[in-house]
Amino acid sequence: MAWQPDDLVRRLDDVIEVYGAAMGYHAALLQTRRGYVAAHAGRPGFRAVATTGDDGSLLGFGYGYTSTPGQWWHDQIRASLRRDDGKSWMSDCFELVELHVRPGAQGHGIGQRQLRALLSSVPHRTVLLSTPEADEDTSRAWRLYRRFGFVDVLRNFYFPGDDRAFGILGRTLPLPARVPA
Ligand SMILES: CC(C)(COP(=O)(O)OP(=O)(O)OC[C@H]1O[C@@H](n2cnc3c(N)ncnc32)[C@H](O)[C@@H]1OP(=O)(O)O)[C@@H](O)C(=O)NCCC(=O)NCCS
């Protein structure tokens, strides 16, 4: 289901809980993320989707917004791209910020449905995301993004203050009707 910005804020406890469980993050890190997530809901172009169980519990969510100069993530990526690549990827771009499914609910197509719903609802020409580097064959996230036609924009990218390597992936929009195959 589509979520309005208010829905994300109202269910912030559940969002943070699913996020932490999906990524294996500690409570301290999650507390700092809480503030970011709430602030993201107010950004231009914000779109969110969520999946709930029969009892209303949150099984998964995803969200993003328009990527614009002055945003930390946008500026980090743009500074690392050649000028023409930066222009073509980032001048009319939706940043897919988070996409997570509760571990017990993974592997049943929820992530795929959320990704399709989110990307079908945005008017931008491109979508970009960052995801931790992992084995493409065994990582569910990487397999999902590849099925949706995401290509490498930057690999082994390091954000300041984070010692994990990330892949920056992107694709043009709109999605073809038959993705994923
Ligand atoms: C990445 C993530 C969002 C994917 O969500 P998911 O719900 O597990 O993914 P899906 O179920 O849509 O796809 C997973 C598998 O189910 C299969 N599937 C799709 N539809 C299905 C259905 N209706 N019934 C059964 N299986 C289905 C897919 O083919 C896929 O197979 P694969 O894993 O062998 O490639 C989720 O696993 C997650 O939160 N992971 C941890 C956090 C993370 O890495 N997030 C992204 C970081 S940016």
Side-chain angles (χ1 to χ4, degrees), residues 22-131:
M23 295 299 279
Y25 285 162
H26 295 297
L29 178 63
L30 290 174
Q31 279 316 308
T32 65
R33 294 295 165 108
R34 225 187 130 82
Y36 289 124
V37 173
H40 288 164
R43 291 201 166 171
F46 177 85
R47 293 278 198 294
V49 293
T51 308
T52 51
D54 292 340
D55 60 356
S57 62
L58 187 67
L59 300 180
F61 71 97
Y63 75 83
Y65 44 71
T66 305
S67 185
T68 58
Q71 294 169 355
W72 184 83
W73 191 93
H74 180 106
D75 292 346
Q76 297 299 326
I77 307 291
R78 187 134 196 179
S80 303
L81 290 174
R82 287 187 6 221
R83 197 185 172 88
D84 50 344
D85 285 340
K87 193 166 178 228
S88 62
W89 278 115
M90 303 197 87
S91 55
D92 183 11
C93 175
F94 181 76
E95 180 192 338
L96 176 64
V97 181
E98 306 293 353
L99 180 73
H100 304 289
V101 175
R102 188 183 288 284
Q106 291 177 7
H108 300 287
I110 294 176
Q112 188 169 297
R113 282 195 293 277
Q114 290 186 157
L115 184 57
R116 168 165 282 289
L118 202 50
L119 297 185
S120 301
S121 77
V122 305
H124 306 75
R125 203 174 58 78
T126 58
V127 50
L128 286 182
L129 63 86
S130 52
T131 193

Side-chain angles (χ1 to χ4, degrees), residues 89 96 99 112 115-116 119 125-129 136 140-153 168-181:
W89 278 115
L96 176 64
L99 180 73
Q112 188 169 297
L115 184 57
R116 168 165 282 289
L119 297 185
R125 203 174 58 78
T126 58
V127 50
L128 286 182
L129 63 86
E136 292 198 24
R140 198 160 254 166
W142 278 82
R143 285 200 301 259
L144 177 66
Y145 297 139
R146 290 304 194 207
R147 275 206 305 282
F148 270 73
F150 279 81
V151 299
D152 293 347
V153 176
I168 312 299
L169 303 180
R171 69 152 295 144
T172 54
L173 295 174
L175 288 180
R178 289 182 56 79
V179 165

